[in-house]
Every structure is written in structure tokens, then in C-alpha cells.
Amino acid sequence: MSKVSVRGLELAYDDAGAGAAVVLLHGFPFDRSLWREQAAALAATHRVVTPDLRGFGESTVVDEPATMEQMAKDVVALLDELRIERFVLGGLSMGGYVAFALYRLFPRRVRALVLADTRPQGDTDEARAGRETMARRALTEGMRPIADAMLPKLLAPATHAGRPEIVARVREMILATPPAGAAAALRGMALRRDQTDLLPDIIAPTLVLVGGEDAITPPAEAELMRREIRGARLEVMAGAGHCSNLERPEEFNRALGTFLNELEP
Ligand code: MLT
């Protein structure tokens, strides 16, 4: 793990391998360890940078709402420090929301996009209200109720039934998240803009990945992104839920590896 001071924060990150850069952004309420299997697989051929977004893992917690744009600027500031100009940008769920914000702000920095278990739309009023309730609960009761509320939806039924080590890993990641960081991100996600209008303007080669049983950002959202982003490729991982990279690492890595190998230098 390394740390860098940017934009008034300490950002923790891992930086593995050498070659063309791939930057992977974790979802909510996780941390960079979400990408352990992808970093291990890709580091043989690529430079893989996995940051803890502000408020998560070992990065600084900021109390104000952590907007997707702020997180995107943090990531670009980190990459500036690392002298990485162009990169493949991947994000899972909230990481995908940050990827959209980053693409809108810095399209020329992005060689290609990987959108995993995410969606372009903003929140409904109901979802926004739910986020505020969850943010308050995190601040008053800690992460346990958040883990209890989210876990059933984060993983596919088969993962819950047959892969206790994945369930435990996701639960531990959630419980290790600073409650104030989670609350800031919930409030930031509630403020995020609808990115649907960006999709037809995306010219970066794009891979969309989704668990066939993702209950949070279901395959219909992935299909929408495939349809609206020119030339996008869609990979549906049967039997996986919202954490498709953890639930189906080999399939996920194969799709990602093939996509990366086919990119123009
Ligand atoms: C995530 O996995 O990042 C979150 O479930 C996304 C969300 O709450 O919208």
C-alpha cells in the first residue's frame, strides 16, 4: 500500500505490475481490496492502480458529501502524481458512477472504459431519501446495520448458500468502512447527476460486465449501456450477483483480459 497527498487528502492505493495502466474503482461500501483477484491477474501484463476512494479503506474521511466529481478529481490527481496520462478506467457500481463523472470531466485521459454492475441513471427521490436514512444510521449505529441491510442484495442466492468465504469477505469489507466515509458517499451518490445523456458521446472502447442475478444494478441497466454506448461489448455472468468480480473472478478476468488485449496501443 502507498499513500499520496492530493487535494487536501491522503489517498491510499496499490500500484502493481508494469505496462499500460488500468485503474479500478471500488463500489460502496468497499475498498481497494475488492480488486485483489483482478490486480493479481492483470499485473502480469499491465500496471494496475487501485485506490481507496475518499472516505474508504485507508484514505482520508471527509465529512461533507463525497460527490462523484470530487472522487473523480481525486483519482486524476493521484494519476497525475504517478505520471499516468492515459489509462483504462474500470469501476464497479459506485466506482462506475465515478468513472462516468471522470469521463465527463477528462474524456481524453480515458483509453477505454470498463463498467461493471453499475448504472448511468441518478437516484429517484425515494432512493435519495433512503440514502439519507442510511447515512444517519451509519453515523449513529455504525456499519453493522448497513451490512445487514445490504448483504442480502449484494450477492447472488447461490453465493449466499454456497460461498461463505465470499459472504464473510464482503461483510468484513463493509464493517471496516469508516461510518463517516460511508455517510459522505451516500450523500454524494444521492447528489449525482443522471449520466444517460453521456452514453452516446462515449467514444472510448467500452466493456460492460454484469452478474446475471445482480439485484442492485440488474442486467437491464447493462443492456441499456451496451445499446447506448457505440460499439460497447456486454458480458453477463450467469449466477453472479452485484459483486460479479468476486463471485466469478475467473470469468470476469477472462472477459477483462480479452478486452484489454484487443485494445489499440
Ligand atoms: C455499490 O455497490 O457501489 C452501491 O450498491 C451502489 C449504490 O448504492 O447505488
Side-chain angles (χ1 to χ4, degrees):
M1 190 272 288
S2 305
K3 276 196 177 181
V4 71
S5 297
V6 287
R7 294 171 36 80
L9 314 165
E10 293 264 287
L11 277 190
Y13 65 97
D14 287 324
D15 184 358
V22 180
V23 181
L24 299 173
L25 308 180
H26 63 79
F28 172 91
F30 305 145
D31 58 53
R32 67 188 194 282
S33 72
L34 177 76
W35 297 114
R36 195 185 302 144
E37 285 76 10
Q38 284 67 46
L42 292 178
T45 48
H46 291 80
R47 181 176 184 185
V48 188
V49 179
T50 48
D52 283 334
L53 296 168
R54 62 163 65 197
F56 294 91
E58 294 169 86
S59 289
T60 305
V61 175
V62 181
D63 284 332
E64 72 203 30
T67 66
M68 304 303 99
E69 286 72 20
Q70 275 168 336
M71 293 196 202
K73 288 178 187 169
D74 296 343
V75 170
V76 167
L78 162 66
L79 297 171
D80 287 344
E81 287 290 319
L82 298 179
R83 305 269 182 270
I84 295 173
E85 176 61 27
R86 301 237 314 145
F87 46 89
V88 176
L89 178 63
L92 183 132
S93 199
M94 181 186 75
Y97 308 160
V98 178
F100 283 127
L102 194 156
Y103 190 88
R104 196 182 273 279
L105 288 166
F106 307 98
R108 277 186 286 275
R109 304 286 295 264
V110 179
R111 273 184 74 209
L113 270 177
V114 179
L115 301 167
D117 299 281
T118 192
R119 62 154 60 90
Q121 301 91 343
D123 280 356
T124 59
D125 288 344
E126 192 189 343
R128 256 183 232 121
R131 296 223 196 256
E132 185 53 33
T133 305
M134 220 193 227
R136 290 184 191 182
R137 273 198 98 177
L139 291 172
T140 53
E141 297 170 52
M143 292 306 285
R144 206 164 295 276
I146 311 301
D148 292 342
M150 289 191 74
L151 259 175
K153 284 182 282 180
L154 284 170
L155 300 167
T159 308
H160 278 289
R163 304 292 306 277
E165 73 288 0
I166 295 183
V167 181
R169 175 168 162 193
V170 173
R171 189 176 179 81
E172 276 158 30
M173 231 179 351
I174 299 176
L175 293 179
T177 297
L186 283 161
R187 289 171 172 155
M189 283 193 281
L191 291 172
R192 78 187 190 284
R193 62 171 292 166
D194 186 335
Q195 301 281 14
T196 312
D197 64 327
L198 176 70
L199 303 181
D201 293 336
I202 292 177
I203 53 168
T206 299
L207 172 65
V208 180
L209 296 146
V210 69
E213 296 182 35
D214 184 338
I216 297 180
T217 50
E221 314 278 8
E223 176 54 32
L224 168 82
M225 294 188 283
R226 186 203 59 78
R227 222 174 34 241
E228 295 289 316
I229 302 174
R230 217 165 313 131
R233 183 185 300 177
L234 170 62
E235 194 78 35
V236 181
M237 282 156 286
H242 187 59
C243 297
S244 62
N245 70 313
L246 289 181
E247 297 177 81
R248 288 284 183 284
E250 283 168 19
E251 235 174 290
F252 192 103
N253 292 353
R254 201 174 320 119
L256 185 51
T258 304
F259 175 71
L260 293 176
N261 289 336
E262 287 173 10
L263 290 177
E264 305 271 330

